[in-house]
Amino acid sequence: MEGEELEVEDVEPEALEGIDEKPEVVEEQEESEEAVCGAKKRVVPGIVYLGHLPPRFRPLHVRNLLSAYGEVGRVFFQPEDGFVRRKKKAAAASTAGGKKRSKYSKDYTEGWVEFRDKRVAKRVAASLHNTPMGARKRSPFRYDLWNLKYLHRFTWSHLSEHLAFERQVRRQRLRAEVAQAKRETDFYLRSVERGQRFLAAEGDSARPNGTWTFAQRPTEQELRARKAARPGGRERARLANAQDQARSNRGLLAKIFGAPPPSESMEEP
């Protein structure tokens, strides 16, 4: 009897050990499945484009306004052009009258906001588009509307590349404008030097006369005057005028009475 009891006791621990091992395997499988699901549902950031930024609107404002809908990451605002900024600054100084320092703030033209989850970015762009920026009555942006657009498959690296490209294009344009201005200045200086040399050489006696001479063909009146000035030219002119008048009279009479013109009557014989 004692031997049978020992055998039963030896079997029971083995069975218990097998029962304890099964839950461990199941837990490992569940953990691996959760890891796979987490890899599939990886959070991808999304970027929203802001097409309109009112005056005195700063990145801190947009972060405070949009952080209520989701976690906001990086924010970038494109500053306005330097020419427009200088023009506005001069206008502000002129309105102030020069009595006190003009208060001019730097404004922005467009912006990009990065959300941690692209689903939140899509939801924000769809729900806030064409809605008032400020919900409070005393908000300075109450009468401005959101102009939001979700950029599909757009990452922050694309924005960095785009800004670097625009910066390079701006530098090349500035370099070309400077080269063009330099060429125009050199041409103007060469023209001035050439004009000075020309004016200095006008008083030189050894220099030939460089006046502008040209020959004009004589007109018909001048030719007739020259012929009349010759000996016997007046009589010839009178005869030529009489012959022309007679020819005109014959042609007129022939048209009136239906007779052939004098040229045809001379050709028939």
Side-chain angles (χ1 to χ4, degrees), residues 202-262:
E202 280 187 352
D204 191 1
S205 59
R207 185 172 177 270
N209 188 12
T211 58
W212 187 33
T213 58
F214 61 91
Q216 177 68 31
R217 291 184 62 183
T219 60
E220 188 176 355
Q221 294 180 357
E222 291 177 356
L223 292 174
R224 288 180 180 179
R226 289 178 186 178
K227 289 180 180 179
R230 294 176 185 174
R234 292 182 179 179
E235 296 178 359
R236 293 177 183 175
R238 288 175 185 176
L239 290 173
N241 290 333
Q243 289 177 0
D244 293 340
Q245 190 174 2
R247 288 175 184 173
S248 62
N249 293 336
R250 289 176 186 176
L252 180 61
L253 292 172
K255 289 180 180 179
I256 293 171
F257 296 103

Side-chain angles (χ1 to χ4, degrees), residues 26-126:
V26 173
E27 289 178 359
E28 291 178 357
Q29 291 178 357
E30 290 178 355
E31 289 178 358
S32 61
E33 289 177 359
E34 288 179 358
V36 171
C37 294
K40 289 181 180 179
K41 296 181 180 180
R42 186 170 57 89
V43 178
V44 178
I47 296 176
V48 176
Y49 172 74
L50 279 73
H52 168 68
L53 297 177
R56 302 179 183 276
F57 194 72
R58 299 291 179 267
L60 182 61
H61 296 148
V62 73
R63 186 179 293 277
N64 293 335
L65 292 172
L66 297 181
S67 59
Y69 303 96
E71 186 177 352
V72 178
R74 291 169 285 190
V75 179
F76 177 77
F77 281 7
Q78 179 70 25
E80 61 186 359
D81 192 20
F83 175 75
V84 178
R85 192 184 313 148
R86 289 191 297 270
K87 197 171 181 180
K88 287 184 178 180
K89 197 171 183 179
S94 63
T95 53
K99 295 181 180 180
K100 57 183 179 179
R101 190 175 181 183
S102 61
K103 294 182 179 180
Y104 170 74
S105 61
K106 183 179 179 181
D107 294 332
Y108 301 91
T109 57
E110 55 186 356
W112 292 263
V113 180
E114 183 185 30
F115 285 88
R116 186 174 179 273
D117 193 352
K118 68 177 183 180
R119 291 171 293 182
V120 177
K122 290 179 182 179
R123 195 180 307 116
V124 168

Side-chain angles (χ1 to χ4, degrees), residues 153-213:
R153 294 183 180 179
F154 189 82
T155 60
W156 199 261
S157 60
H158 297 158
L159 176 60
S160 302
E161 293 174 1
H162 177 67
L163 295 175
F165 175 74
E166 286 186 349
R167 200 178 300 113
Q168 187 67 19
V169 169
R170 195 181 302 111
R171 289 177 182 174
Q172 290 181 358
R173 190 186 301 115
L174 181 61
R175 198 178 297 113
E177 291 177 357
V178 170
Q180 180 67 18
K182 189 176 180 181
R183 285 195 295 269
E184 292 177 357
T185 305
D186 295 342
F187 176 76
Y188 174 75
L189 293 175
R190 286 196 302 269
S191 301
V192 170
E193 292 178 358
R194 194 182 301 112
Q196 291 177 354
R197 288 197 301 268
F198 180 76
L199 294 174
E202 280 187 352
D204 191 1
S205 59
R207 185 172 177 270
N209 188 12
T211 58
W212 187 33
T213 58

